[in-house]
Amino acid sequence: MRTLDWIVLGITLFAIVLYGVYKGRGSKNIRGYLLADKSMKWYTIALSIMATQASAITFTSTPGQAYVDGMRFVQFYLGLPIAMVILSVTAVPIFHKLNVYTAYEYLEHRFDLKTRTLTSLIFLIQRGLAVGITIYAPSLVLSVMLDIDIRITSLIIGGVVITYTTWGGVKAVNYTDFQQLLIITFGMIFALCATIYLLPKGVTFGDALHVAGGMGKLNLIDFSFNFDNRYNIWSGIFGGMFVALAYFGCDQSQVQRYLTGQSVTQSRLALLFNGAAKVPMQFFILLIGAMVFVFYQFSPPPLFFNPVESAKIQSSAYGTEYASLQKRYEEVFQQKSKLLQTYLDAEKSGDKHRIEEAGKNLNEIDKQAQGIRANAVEILKKNDTSIDANDTNYIFLSFVIKYLPVGLVGLIFACIFAASMSSSSGELSALATCSVVDVYKRHFKKQASDRHYLVVSRISMALWGVYGIAFAQYASRLGSLIEAVNILGSLFYGTMLGVFLLAFYFKWVGGTAAFIAAFVGEAVVLYCFKFTDIAWLWYNVIGCGVVVGVAVLLSLFFRPPVLSTR
Amino acid sequence: MMSDSNPHQFPEACEKSQGPIVNSERPPLFRSWNRLYGFVLGELVLLIVLFYAFSRLFQ
């Protein structure tokens, strides 16, 4: 990065802190600090919801995913609009009517204290692990790309977030999220325009789409059904809907965003805006990845996109072997360039037979290039068994650093920092709220002044932030545990959603039935995870289904004891 | 006070919470909530059709 990029990055980060501190001023009580006095307008909440959901990895990994796997990932979001409508009808009015601070508080109103505590603890464990990853993952990518120690990048992200969240509470979180998403949107629009602009002269946007499509990167919709296939329209609509229902309906980091709405109307509008805007937004980010892919069909890509690992292997005992692969990769690239021109000429002629023939040749040579890349990864693994062989996160940023104009590089990195901060700030405020409202106030200090709870909330917010930074500092030593932590999050959502569905729709089901069913549902999900190949998107459907089914059965057969919980 | 509800009166609060929840406020667009929900779901269907057409066109 050049001086101007550092200036753009520095000014953006400084502006975020300043804006957060300014907007978060005046939170003098717990309601103001944790619920923003229920004063938020729908557009602030909507952008805050989207910013919290979109982590830094969304913006680094998603374009990389389109580069490697095509745009089919967009199907994962197809269930989200349906979930937004369902939640607008059910959860939003109930949460507003009961004036709750956390989603789990509602479960005590509906069931009992043990169910509230169980779900709140599940959330605290799951999100507590996630907040460390939310800081660690982008810190690692940024440290590699900017050539800075990971401790510094994680300290910058965590330090900035702690400053404005501890000071201003949820109000600061919502307003900075709003501002951060605007920065991200502009940054991404500029990135797409610059990528298209950087294509060789004579290659139009239409040509680029034909190349991407011909090489299988515009595979947006897949109607085939397969339980093991992670992304098809069915897993996207059904599995994705359950994920979104769980995330937006039971996860406090999202629920807290729309609990700050002035009214049911404002909260609903925010969720519905998210439902309408999320899919086009993901399409747009994936399109950037597809365009980067096309760009690298005309300009030689690196054999492996992680610059640190590439440098390491070149100076290792496997250096010669890797260099010969690199040479072969460059030769294949030259052959591919010629075939690409033939393909574009065929496209312009409109001759179907020629297009098919050229497309076939192009894909064959691309397979050769992919094979060389796979061999390179094998060598990297041989050299260092603990290496992260997935370079998807580095594809987009590697392109940004090498090819985008000065100033825009700083803006894109500011976007990645902003995205990381928006996610972790939402998580911190949610963790602090649950720790104080569901645990501290409910179990340890039931009667205390408002001022006391405000101070405890601030301390809790800061402590969760410090914990997140500490986790990020030591996460690299955890190795494959990081992956396990990521999977762990998806294992609990189905169970939590099941409990909430029981609360909303099954009025005759009591607290004990729901509590037992939650344990059974979790056991089934863990069994699926351990002993089957079912794609993780389906865990939410399975977990939720088992919880609802078991609770309903328990209520039918053991009605008197189950309902005697009151 | 942390919350308007008393934590020791939750069963009663539960009974109250199960009553019909009516939001009389209209959305600023489309005049009714059902129409707005219809718009969001209609957009989803349109996007799926467009994505499919997009994939086919450039395949």
Side-chain angles (χ1 to χ4, degrees):
Chain A
M1 289 224 304
R2 281 160 283 182
T3 315
L4 182 64
D5 294 319
W6 285 108
I7 293 171
V8 171
L9 178 59
I11 290 175
T12 314
L13 293 183
F14 185 68
I16 288 170
V17 181
L18 213 65
Y19 187 74
V21 168
Y22 172 73
K23 282 300 211 179
R25 73 195 190 286
S27 293
K28 291 191 174 60
N29 54 42
I30 195 81
R31 191 178 153 85
Y33 193 71
L34 298 180
L35 286 181
D37 284 319
K38 285 195 171 280
S39 60
M40 291 287 159
K41 295 274 192 192
W42 71 268
Y43 44 84
T44 311
I45 307 168
L47 264 62
S48 178
I49 284 172
M50 293 177 81
T52 301
Q53 190 188 7
S55 69
I57 291 301
T58 308
F59 296 101
T60 55
S61 169
T62 309
Q65 190 145 8
Y67 182 101
V68 174
D69 193 36
M71 293 177 70
R72 67 189 188 124
F73 180 57
V74 80
Q75 295 170 111
F76 171 69
Y77 293 92
L78 294 179
L80 188 142
I82 305 168
M84 294 302 101
V85 170
I86 294 171
L87 290 172
S88 294
V89 175
T90 54
V92 172
I94 291 177
F95 288 158
H96 266 278
K97 190 185 178 191
L98 292 175
N99 209 11
V100 291
Y101 279 72
T102 72
Y104 320 110
E105 195 180 341
Y106 159 67
L107 293 179
E108 184 171 359
H109 286 246
R110 171 64 182 84
F111 293 129
D112 50 30
L113 179 60
K114 65 178 182 296
T115 312
R116 171 186 180 177
T117 308
L118 174 73
T119 49
S120 187
L121 286 178
I122 287 176
F123 170 76
L124 285 171
I125 293 167
Q126 177 201 333
R127 256 315 132 193
L129 288 166
V131 74
I133 301 289
T134 311
I135 295 175
Y136 167 73
S139 299
L140 176 67
V141 175
L142 290 168
S143 78
V144 168
M145 300 313 296
L146 298 175
D147 197 18
I148 310 176
D149 194 309
I150 187 171
R151 283 170 292 190
I152 297 174
T153 48
S154 58
L155 261 177
I156 294 173
I157 294 172
V160 171
V161 170
I162 290 175
T163 307
Y164 69 77
T165 48
T166 307
W167 172 262
V170 77
K171 209 194 281 182
V173 172
N174 281 6
Y175 280 118
T176 45
D177 280 357
F178 179 89
Q179 176 211 36
Q180 283 157 350
L181 198 75
L182 289 182
I183 295 169
I184 291 164
T185 307
F186 283 119
M188 287 295 159
I189 290 171
F190 282 130
L192 179 62
C193 295
T195 314
I196 295 166
Y197 179 77
L198 285 169
L199 290 171
K201 272 189 183 172
V203 179
T204 63
F205 180 51
D207 291 337
L209 288 175
H210 277 293
V211 171
M215 297 180 80
K217 302 298 172 187
L218 303 185
N219 48 352
L220 284 156
I221 298 291
D222 177 3
F223 283 105
S224 64
F225 180 82
N226 184 352
F227 263 117
D228 303 337
N229 181 358
R230 204 180 284 182
Y231 307 119
N232 57 49
I233 194 165
W234 314 112
S235 69
I237 288 182
F238 294 105
M241 180 185 79
F242 275 80
V243 172
L245 277 174
Y247 181 53
F248 291 94
C250 325
D251 190 312
Q252 178 65 14
S253 63
Q254 280 299 350
V255 174
Q256 189 165 24
R257 308 272 78 73
Y258 59 83
L259 284 181
T260 60
Q262 265 178 6
S263 61
V264 171
T265 298
Q266 297 299 318
S267 299
R268 269 182 178 168
L269 287 173
L271 283 180
L272 293 174
F273 178 83
N274 185 34
K278 187 68 190 176
V279 180
M281 180 183 159
Q282 286 304 127
F283 169 82
F284 175 74
I285 297 169
L286 285 162
L287 189 61
I288 295 175
M291 288 299 107
V292 171
F293 172 81
V294 176
F295 173 84
Y296 276 127
Q297 304 312 304
F298 295 99
S299 304
L303 185 51
F304 194 68
F305 281 93
N306 184 331
V308 171
E309 296 301 338
S310 293
K312 228 193 269 178
I313 190 80
Q314 278 163 20
S315 58
S316 74
Y318 294 94
T320 325
E321 205 178 330
Y322 190 80
S324 78
L325 274 182
Q326 208 154 21
K327 199 175 165 214
R328 176 86 190 106
Y329 195 59
E330 282 159 18
E331 284 166 9
V332 168
F333 172 78
Q334 297 301 335
Q335 290 172 32
K336 196 160 67 169
S337 293
K338 284 178 196 158
L339 288 172
L340 195 61
Q341 198 50 55
T342 315
Y343 178 76
L344 283 173
D345 291 342
E347 273 291 346
K348 274 170 194 157
S349 73
D351 183 338
K352 274 192 177 177
H353 179 70
R354 269 183 71 194
I355 297 170
E356 260 179 44
E357 188 67 25
K360 204 174 139 191
N361 292 337
L362 190 59
N363 279 310
E364 268 172 24
I365 197 90
D366 191 50
K367 267 184 198 161
Q368 276 187 42
Q370 283 174 29
I372 297 170
R373 238 168 84 78
N375 288 340
V377 169
E378 287 305 315
I379 293 176
L380 285 158
K381 279 183 184 167
K382 264 197 256 174
N383 183 47
D384 180 1
T385 46
S386 64
I387 189 183
D388 180 8
N390 186 356
D391 63 349
T392 313
N393 286 339
Y394 300 92
I395 293 173
F396 178 56
L397 290 184
S398 158
F399 163 77
V400 166
I401 282 200
K402 201 166 176 190
Y403 296 103
L404 289 198
V406 63
L408 189 52
V409 176
L411 181 66
I412 299 296
F413 274 88
C415 289
I416 307 301
F417 272 104
S420 175
M421 288 188 270
S422 59
S423 306
S424 39
S425 64
E427 288 176 341
L428 286 191
S429 67
L431 285 165
T433 307
C434 284
S435 307
V436 175
V437 176
D438 291 332
V439 181
Y440 181 75
K441 183 187 182 273
R442 192 65 190 89
H443 293 280
F444 298 101
K445 188 111 181 166
K446 290 182 182 172
Q447 300 295 330
S449 68
D450 200 62
R451 168 108 194 121
H452 173 83
Y453 290 125
L454 180 62
V455 171
V456 173
S457 299
R458 282 189 201 277
I459 294 169
S460 174
M461 198 88 83
L463 285 179
W464 276 112
V466 171
Y467 155 80
I469 295 174
F471 186 98
Q473 304 272 332
Y474 292 98
S476 56
R477 297 181 196 175
L478 299 174
S480 60
L481 190 65
I482 300 297
E483 199 186 340
V485 167
N486 274 328
I487 295 167
L488 193 76
S490 65
L491 298 181
F492 293 110
Y493 268 157
T495 305
M496 279 174 54
L497 179 62
V499 175
F500 273 88
L501 282 186
L502 288 171
F504 288 138
Y505 296 112
F506 297 82
K507 301 285 164 64
W508 68 92
V509 173
T512 305
F515 189 76
I516 295 169
F519 277 99
V520 177
E522 198 50 56
V524 172
V525 171
L526 291 175
Y527 176 85
C528 291
F529 168 64
K530 190 81 184 154
F531 300 107
T532 72
D533 293 326
I534 295 171
W536 66 269
L537 266 174
W538 293 105
Y539 293 167
N540 299 282
V541 185
I542 294 166
C544 177
V546 171
V547 171
V548 171
V550 170
V552 169
L553 277 176
L554 282 174
S555 298
L556 288 175
F557 291 104
F558 306 103
R559 203 176 179 92
V562 167
L563 289 181
S564 67
T565 51
R566 285 185 192 168
Chain B
M1 280 284 287
M2 278 282 288
S3 164
D4 292 343
S5 54
N6 182 340
H8 301 291
Q9 293 178 342
F10 282 142
E12 287 75 16
C14 172
E15 294 305 324
K16 281 180 199 168
S17 74
Q18 290 175 22
I21 296 160
V22 182
N23 178 32
S24 54
E25 217 178 315
R26 282 181 177 182
L29 290 169
F30 299 98
R31 291 186 183 179
S32 82
W33 286 107
N34 284 345
R35 283 184 192 172
L36 188 52
Y37 299 148
F39 169 77
V40 174
L41 298 177
E43 188 216 358
L44 173 67
V45 174
L46 182 68
L47 283 173
I48 291 172
V49 172
L50 287 176
F51 286 167
Y52 182 69
F54 184 77
S55 303
R56 298 285 298 174
L57 183 66
F58 293 106
Q59 208 165 26

